[in-house]
Amino acid sequence: MTDEDFMRHAIALSRRGMAGGAGGPFGAVVVLEGRVVAEGWNQVTSTLDPTAHAEIVAIRRACTALGRFDLRGATVFTSCEPCPMCLAALYWSRCDRVVYANNRVQAAGIGFDDEFLYQEIPKPIAARSLPMQRLLAEEALEVFAEWTGKPDRVAY
């Protein structure tokens, strides 16, 4: 199968999920060694989970199917340029490559304004629209110290 075939699969999932009332028009597939190991489509409204974006669903399913917490060697095909949450998850997954169809400007044109989040992230914490407060940092730092001394920790 070609990249175009895998992208068509992601686009078909976006249409199927949307038409079935699962959520917005977004689909994703995870491909490893030339085969689809997991599929995902937006399920935000049907599962009442704001993190149930197509890429997140596909990453979770792929890791479960593969029995590991990374997607090294994999390509993720997604019907739209990933939002900041999904982009971060893709980085954390350690996938090798992401291929997308629609871009964030096109997504904004139908009411999905990821650009707001892209603009918020580089701002200093105090300048962001979501109020944030740091509390009990010293106590929390003790747990970090315990982590670094934990002989059986698994790095990721």
Side-chain angles (χ1 to χ4, degrees):
M1 291 183 66
T2 67
D3 283 358
E4 289 81 5
D5 294 325
F6 293 124
M7 183 56 73
R8 284 188 183 98
H9 189 136
I11 293 167
L13 290 170
S14 74
R15 179 176 284 116
R16 188 177 333 146
M18 175 194 64
F26 305 99
V29 293
V30 178
V31 175
L32 182 66
E33 297 174 355
R35 68 180 183 88
V36 174
V37 295
E39 304 174 337
W41 51 90
N42 185 287
Q43 299 174 31
V44 169
T45 57
S46 61
T47 63
L48 307 178
D49 179 356
T51 68
H53 290 199
E55 298 91 338
I56 302 292
V57 172
I59 289 167
R60 289 175 180 161
R61 288 177 174 169
C63 288
T64 298
L66 296 169
R68 61 189 215 213
F69 57 80
D70 71 81
L71 297 177
R72 285 178 172 88
T75 297
V76 178
F77 292 84
T78 180
S79 65
C80 189
E81 180 181 0
C83 75
M85 176 184 69
C86 293
L87 181 60
L90 289 159
Y91 273 100
W92 280 117
S93 79
R94 309 291 197 253
C95 66
D96 284 10
R97 185 170 70 119
V98 176
V99 180
Y100 66 93
N102 294 321
N103 65 33
R104 65 175 113 159
V105 173
Q106 292 165 316
I110 62 164
F112 294 92
D113 194 5
D114 301 348
E115 190 59 33
F116 168 74
L117 294 174
Y118 276 106
Q119 291 174 6
E120 282 285 294
I121 292 168
K123 290 181 182 177
I125 290 173
R128 293 179 185 160
S129 64
L130 179 64
M132 296 178 70
Q133 175 188 358
R134 192 169 184 195
L135 187 64
L136 299 178
E138 302 255 342
E139 290 181 33
L141 196 54
E142 291 173 13
V143 182
F144 276 16
E146 290 173 27
W147 169 256
T148 58
K150 191 175 181 335
D152 61 341
R153 75 174 185 256
V154 177
Y156 58 93

